[in-house]
């Protein structure tokens, strides 16, 4: 359980997570070669800070928005929280805040000391935590663990509903969910509610069996549906579709036994750099529904504890009806749908002044772009050129990086040599803009993201891909409610079955 883990304070109690999995590098030789990294030293650090300042300044305009509905941004964040934890941790060798010296750590130390507090197998433990102690249900001392705390006595997940009000359950204003990070902004919190409601709807529809049997089957079906949507809807929407198809058919090539890697691990190049592409997709403001005016993103961040928190909650400390998300404003094809920002080298200005405790006023941690760039340096993420060569790709030229780029950003690239040794996070965003007009990731970004996600699904013996003989698993959908409209193909199907959309 992650009730104390959030992006503001990191892990507050070391003993809270009593298991961990591995981080490592896709290309460990590159991470250990100075020629494959951005330069060390204070000048490079200053350049990365300056680059981050120039990147975090978008105030929004119609030309900045993509053809991708906004729900894909937050589904991506949900994926991240379900599979990774601790790369943002402001502790030990990964510390970057408050103008601390930011020198590259030893990669050997990184893979030992930076541990993933998640299993990267898309098993929805951010919804379920772990299975409650099923044998204990019905006894006087049944509710004794954090996992049991999120379940009702019949094993349905606890939810708050009152008329048209929908919210995750809270104690005070603190969300009672397995991962507190999924309550860090309003949009993600409402998606967390939807995923919990999805489980309850699937469990309610199971035709027979005890509460335990229905819960176990529902959990299995929900995980398969989630994995199917990640692979067949979310990935082709945000990545180059040819790369996704190729990876499904012929990959992965750099993870698992095929690459001579004897242990499973979450790639640092993915979690620290490439997968953070979605930060560019965040809009400067969002309108939750027809009855509520748009709110700036830095007010929606930390909405349960920031300076505007009283605006969002009623006297019972649950979300007011006016802030319950109408998913017609985030998903589907309605005329009201807000589109994600394009994937490019700008991020919403509000992400340059993060409101989280411990980040307000910090010159690095308070600016998401600066934090991403400096974290990449600290944790020895190889440059985009090194990654491209390792994938056997031709990297963007210096001219492609600078021509047509924002002039202030282009000046920083040239001044500090980043047009030749380019930070991977920046490059993934620029590549998307150059190769696809910001509508989806370019080839290197797509290769890293698709390779990582598909490899974990393929290697998991409990995934939908490994259970295609089950009656619920079809080539084009997962049927979570057989014969009753339970076919899940895309994100909107999850929302509709959850009863929050359509």
């Amino acid at each position: 359980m992650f009730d104390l883990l959030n992006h503001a304070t990191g892990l507050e109690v070391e003993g809270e997570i009593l298991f961990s999995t591995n981080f490592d590098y896709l290309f460990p030789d590159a991470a250990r070669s100075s020629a494959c990294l951005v330069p060390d030293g204070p000048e490079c650090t200053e350049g990365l800070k300056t680059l981050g300042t120039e990147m975090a300044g978008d105030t929004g305009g119609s030309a900045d928005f993509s053809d991708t509905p906004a729900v894909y941004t937050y589904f991506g964040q949900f994926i991240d929280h379900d599979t990774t934890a601790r790369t943002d941790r402001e502790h030990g060798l990964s510390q970057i805040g408050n103008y601390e010296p930011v020198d590259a750590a030893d990669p050997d130390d990184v893979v030992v000391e930076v541990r993933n507090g998640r299993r990267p197998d898309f098993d929805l433990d951010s919804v379920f935590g772990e299975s409650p102690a099923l044998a204990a249900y019905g006894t006087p001392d049944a509710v004794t663990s954090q996992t049991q705390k999120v379940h009702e006595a019949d094993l349905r997940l606890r939810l708050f509903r009152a008329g048209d009000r929908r919210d995750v359950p809270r104690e005070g204003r603190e969300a009672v969910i397995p991962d507190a990070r999924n309550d860090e902004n309003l949009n993600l919190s409402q998606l967390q509610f939807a995923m919990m409601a999805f489980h309850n709807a699937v469990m309610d529809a199971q035709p027979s069996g005890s509460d335990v049997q229905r819960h176990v089957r529902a959990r299995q079906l929900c995980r398969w549906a989630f994995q199917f949507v990640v692979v067949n809807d979310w990935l082709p929407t945000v990545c180059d579709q040819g790369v996704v198809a190729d990876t499904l058919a012929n990959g992965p090539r750099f993870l698992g036994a095929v690459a001579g890697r004897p242990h499973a691990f979450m790639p640092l190049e993915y979690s620290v750099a490439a997968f953070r592409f979605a930060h560019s997709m965040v809009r400067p403001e969002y309108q939750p529904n027809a009855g509520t005016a748009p709110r700036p993103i830095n007010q929606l961040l930390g909405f349960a504890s920031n300076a505007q928190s009283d605006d969002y909650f009623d006297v019972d400390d649950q979300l007011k009806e006016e802030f319950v998300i109408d998913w017609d404003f985030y998903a589907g094809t309605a005329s009201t749908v807000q589109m994600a920002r394009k994937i490019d080298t700008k991020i919403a200005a509000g992400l340059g002044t993060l409101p989280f405790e411990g980040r307000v006023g910090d010159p690095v941690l308070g600016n998401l772009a600066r934090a991403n760039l400096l974290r990449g340096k600290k944790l020895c993420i190889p440059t985009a050129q090194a990654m491209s060569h390792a994938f056997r790709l031709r990297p963007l030229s210096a001219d492609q990086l600078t021509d047509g780029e924002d002039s202030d950003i282009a000046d920083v690239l040239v001044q500090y040599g980043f047009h030749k040794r380019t930070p991977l996070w920046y490059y993934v965003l620029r590549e998307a803009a150059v190769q696809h007009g910001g509508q989806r990731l370019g080839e290197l970004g797509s290769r890293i993201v698709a390779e990582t996600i598909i490899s974990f699904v393929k290697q998991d013996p409990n995934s939908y891909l490994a259970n295609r003989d089950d009656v619920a698993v079809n080539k084009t959908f997962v049927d979570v409610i057989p014969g009753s409209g339970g076919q899940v193909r895309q994100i909107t199907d999850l929302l509709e079955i959850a009863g929050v959309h359509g």
Side-chain angles (χ1 to χ4, degrees), residues 1-23:
M1 302 299 290
F2 287 75
D3 57 324
L4 299 179
L5 182 65
N6 57 62
H7 288 314
T9 58
L11 187 64
E12 294 183 352
V13 179
E14 280 290 338
E16 183 186 16
I17 302 175
L18 300 180
F19 79 98
S20 61
T21 56
N22 296 312
F23 283 115

Side-chain angles (χ1 to χ4, degrees), residues 426-497:
Y426 166 83
Y427 180 95
V428 165
L429 303 181
R430 179 61 180 164
E431 181 190 53
V434 169
Q435 294 185 353
H436 291 297
Q439 297 293 338
R440 57 187 56 84
L441 292 173
E443 183 152 20
L444 178 60
S446 296
R447 288 283 175 194
I448 298 170
V449 171
E451 172 100 2
T452 301
I453 288 176
I454 290 172
S455 70
F456 284 119
V457 178
K458 279 191 168 186
Q459 294 170 28
D460 179 8
N462 297 314
S463 75
Y464 83 94
L465 285 174
N467 288 274
R468 283 179 282 195
D469 58 342
D470 190 285
V471 65
V473 180
N474 184 280
K475 184 177 181 180
T476 59
F477 58 81
V478 171
D479 196 348
V480 297
I481 310 174
S484 302
Q487 297 178 357
V488 176
R489 296 179 173 85
Q490 55 194 2
I491 295 173
T492 51
D493 296 328
L494 295 175
L495 298 175
E496 288 171 8
I497 292 170

Side-chain angles (χ1 to χ4, degrees), residues 185-201:
N185 68 71
L186 177 67
N187 300 331
L188 183 59
S189 182
Q190 286 279 283
L191 183 59
Q192 172 78 15
F193 174 95
M195 294 301 294
M196 295 164 71
F198 174 64
H199 163 264
N200 287 355

Side-chain angles (χ1 to χ4, degrees), residues 332-380:
T333 59
S335 60
T336 54
V337 173
Q338 300 162 100
M339 298 301 174
R341 277 198 79 263
K342 290 180 179 177
I343 304 170
D344 60 23
T345 58
K346 288 287 190 179
I347 67 173
L351 300 181
T353 54
L354 296 175
F356 299 124
E357 179 186 354
R359 298 202 174 198
V360 175
D362 189 295
V364 173
L365 299 177
N367 180 310
L368 187 59
R370 283 183 171 184
N372 285 346
L373 292 165
L374 288 170
R375 196 81 68 184
K377 178 188 178 186
K378 185 76 172 183
L379 298 181
C380 303

Side-chain angles (χ1 to χ4, degrees), residues 250-326:
N250 301 307
R253 295 178 292 164
F254 299 100
L255 279 167
V258 70
R261 308 301 288 272
H263 65 275
F265 65 91
M266 171 60 75
L268 286 158
E269 298 94 330
Y270 165 93
S271 60
V272 177
F275 200 72
R276 300 188 184 193
F277 75 91
H279 291 164
S280 178
M281 297 172 68
V282 175
R283 295 170 58 93
E285 61 181 22
Y286 291 87
Q287 183 176 3
N289 52 62
T292 303
R295 287 257 170 155
I297 182 58
N298 59 351
Q299 290 184 17
L300 299 176
L301 292 168
F303 73 105
S305 59
N306 67 21
Q308 291 81 31
S309 62
D310 287 343
D311 294 347
Y312 293 95
F313 293 95
D314 217 325
V315 293
D316 57 2
D317 287 327
Q318 297 283 166
L319 195 67
K320 292 179 180 177
E321 182 180 337
E322 63 191 277
F323 292 107
V324 171
I325 283 179
D326 178 351

